[in-house]
Amino acid sequence: MTKRAAAVEETRRRIVEATMDLHASKGILATSWEEIARRADVAPATVYRHFPTLDELLPACGELSMRQLALPSDEEIAERFRGTRSRRERLRRLVDELFDLYERGGDVLRAVRRERALLSRVQEDHEEIEERLDVLTAAALEPFELAEHEIAVVRALTDYDAWAALRERGITGPDAVDVVAGLLEGWLR
């Protein structure tokens, strides 16, 4: 029975991973069960047996997506900024944290943002992600008593779309962090 359960779990994992890849590249609603089956190397009936409807498949994908993103808890956020005092240090840490998150979960973020208005389950994930990013940003900026519009500018310049635009132009890793943190520090002076 244990081998059978392990095989079922492995098949389920392959289906969910294949689905996530297709959702990221094609879109959630544009992905068929047949395409998922081909990508997971299983029969279409196997996909239907594990996930008869999109409403049953999305939570499994959402769970794996959230693990992939590894959004920090309140305690983890507080720890990440413990001991950082200067504006420069806090901004650099913020940008580094966010850009690392985008690096590991950019495909997830892009898919969620693209189809959030079409599927309530995806909208819920989007709201959870954005709330965590807001909390992370607020924690980084908290000592500086910034106005609401200043915080909004920081969020915009550290957003996934800004990271993706830099990446498309070959500005990645520490260089991207330096550029954005430097821009923010100069603007906030």
Side-chain angles (χ1 to χ4, degrees):
M1 187 66 173
T2 311
K3 285 183 181 180
R4 170 110 172 90
V8 167
E9 189 55 37
E10 171 62 18
T11 300
R12 185 178 174 84
R13 181 194 60 75
R14 287 195 344 256
I15 291 169
V16 171
E17 288 177 356
T19 302
M20 287 178 56
D21 288 346
L22 288 163
H23 285 178
S25 62
K26 293 188 63 166
I28 296 168
L29 295 176
T31 299
S32 72
W33 262 234
E34 290 74 19
E35 291 168 313
I36 295 168
R38 267 194 306 280
R39 178 77 55 101
D41 197 26
V42 298
T46 302
V47 177
Y48 282 107
R49 189 168 42 255
H50 284 272
F51 301 102
T53 67
L54 185 60
D55 288 337
E56 293 172 85
L57 180 57
L58 283 179
C61 291
E63 183 180 315
L64 184 58
S65 295
M66 290 304 194
R67 278 200 314 263
Q68 184 180 342
L69 282 171
L71 296 167
S73 67
D74 289 344
E75 297 79 25
E76 291 168 328
I77 290 170
E79 185 59 36
R80 284 179 169 102
F81 292 102
R82 191 175 324 285
T84 57
R85 289 181 175 55
S86 73
R87 184 175 289 188
R88 169 177 281 164
E89 204 176 5
R90 291 182 81 84
L91 287 170
R92 180 160 179 71
R93 178 80 44 90
L94 171 65
V95 176
D96 192 46
E97 290 289 330
L98 289 169
F99 285 14
D100 279 351
L101 189 145
Y102 303 152
E103 188 68 42
R104 70 179 171 266
D107 289 344
V108 170
L109 287 171
R110 189 175 58 252
V112 166
R113 285 183 172 184
R114 183 179 54 225
E115 298 194 50
R116 69 182 184 256
L118 304 173
L119 299 159
S120 62
R121 171 73 173 130
V122 176
Q123 178 61 31
E124 291 168 18
D125 288 345
H126 171 71
E127 289 169 7
E128 181 180 347
I129 292 165
E130 291 301 312
E131 185 269 335
R132 288 284 83 203
L133 300 181
D134 288 344
V135 169
L136 182 63
T137 302
L141 303 176
E142 187 265 329
F144 311 121
E145 300 177 13
L146 299 178
E148 199 172 306
H149 81 279
E150 291 171 314
I151 295 169
V153 168
V154 171
R155 273 291 274 125
L157 292 176
T158 60
D159 189 63
Y160 169 80
D161 291 331
W163 170 83
L166 288 167
R167 185 181 176 98
E168 285 175 15
R169 287 156 185 82
I171 305 165
T172 61
D175 291 340
V177 172
D178 288 343
V179 166
V180 174
L183 286 170
L184 289 171
E185 186 181 4
W187 183 76
L188 289 170
R189 254 186 241 152

